[in-house]
Amino acid sequence: MTQVFQPPFVFLVKLVFLAVLVMAFIGIVLLRALTAEAHAVNEAVEQPVPFSHKHHVTDVGLDCRYCHAEVETQAFAGIPPVSTCMTCHSKLFTDQAALAPVVKSWETGVPLQWERVHQLPDFVYFNHAIHVAKGVGCESCHGRVDTMALETRTQDLSMKWCLSCHEAPEKFLRPREEEFTMGYKAADQATLGMELVQAYSIDRRRMMDCSLCHR
């Protein structure tokens, strides 16, 4: 009987198949690496300046929007330019070593390179403005920043975690005037939450649509 496929051809097919498997494995590893969480939960992140939210929020009394000015209008909350820092620090603690990078940035015009603490994969679309408009407080995602000497991520930002809110938004909603209040607790969250779902026109039927976060 004549052999249909010669040994060299069979070897080549096996080699190609093995190469495809190896490339698929490498692709999966790279995808995991590219979409991996930048920092572990509750891990303090080193920054070019040891900025303390606790000092600025609790001790000084700054509102979140003083630095994150675009949080109510844009997809990104915004990182304050060094000119915002120098509003105070052109007069206060200017000679402190910890603030040297801020002063240098101000003098040279070279922006500070902050390390992102909350990083979502590129295939996830998140809009700060719409969450603020619908009654989601900063604390729900970012934790009690007013107690953080250095910013840390308090949630794993997983799809499961996001869906826990989308499935039952009434458990997390606040009146808009309380969205930037740290430690806010409603007297009756269940009742208030359902009232806010109506007041903020939240369509519960669409909250689990894939297209909300993946576009």
Side-chain angles (χ1 to χ4, degrees):
M1 180 180 294
T2 303
Q3 187 172 355
V4 178
F5 298 107
Q6 297 301 316
F9 180 81
V10 174
F11 175 76
L12 180 61
V13 171
K14 290 181 178 179
L15 190 62
V16 170
F17 182 73
L18 179 61
V20 170
L21 287 179
V22 171
M23 290 178 65
F25 176 78
I26 293 175
I28 292 173
V29 171
L30 287 175
L31 180 62
R32 284 180 174 271
L34 290 173
T35 60
E37 297 165 351
H39 300 285
V41 174
N42 296 323
E43 174 189 44
V45 180
E46 185 176 352
Q47 300 287 1
V49 179
F51 180 88
S52 170
H53 275 85
K54 179 180 183 298
H55 171 67
H56 288 81
V57 176
T58 301
D59 300 339
V60 179
L62 290 183
D63 185 279
C64 302
R65 291 161 289 188
Y66 185 80
C67 295
H68 304 290
E70 299 172 349
V71 69
E72 295 177 292
T73 59
Q74 303 293 328
F76 296 98
I79 298 297
V82 72
S83 58
T84 300
C85 306
M86 293 301 288
T87 301
C88 295
H89 290 298
S90 61
K91 302 295 183 183
L92 299 174
F93 310 114
T94 306
D95 58 347
Q96 296 295 313
L99 283 172
V102 176
V103 176
K104 182 178 180 179
S105 175
W106 174 250
E107 293 175 344
T108 63
V110 179
L112 291 170
Q113 298 299 311
W114 297 99
E115 182 73 15
R116 289 195 67 169
V117 177
H118 299 81
Q119 179 70 53
L120 291 172
D122 290 340
F123 55 79
V124 177
Y125 174 78
F126 180 85
N127 187 305
H128 275 88
I130 190 63
H131 285 79
V132 173
K134 299 299 183 179
V136 179
C138 304
E139 182 184 343
S140 295
C141 300
H142 295 284
R144 291 293 301 273
V145 297
D146 60 317
T147 66
M148 297 179 187
L150 290 176
E151 177 77 359
T152 60
R153 186 160 54 82
T154 59
Q155 305 295 340
D156 63 12
L157 307 183
S158 66
M159 183 174 178
K160 179 180 179 181
W161 175 74
C162 295
L163 290 178
S164 67
C165 182
H166 278 231
E167 288 176 331
E170 66 277 1
K171 294 181 180 180
F172 305 94
L173 301 183
R174 303 178 176 200
R176 291 198 182 105
E177 62 271 17
E178 300 290 354
E179 289 178 343
F180 303 94
T181 302
M182 293 291 121
Y184 168 79
K185 296 292 183 183
D188 183 355
Q189 181 63 43
T191 301
L192 175 64
M194 292 306 296
E195 291 175 354
L196 294 177
V197 166
Q198 298 295 322
Y200 297 156
S201 302
I202 296 175
D203 187 353
R204 295 169 58 90
R205 297 168 299 179
R206 293 198 61 236
M207 290 297 290
M208 300 297 287
D209 285 1
C210 300
S211 61
L212 284 180
C213 303
H214 304 292
R215 303 181 180 183

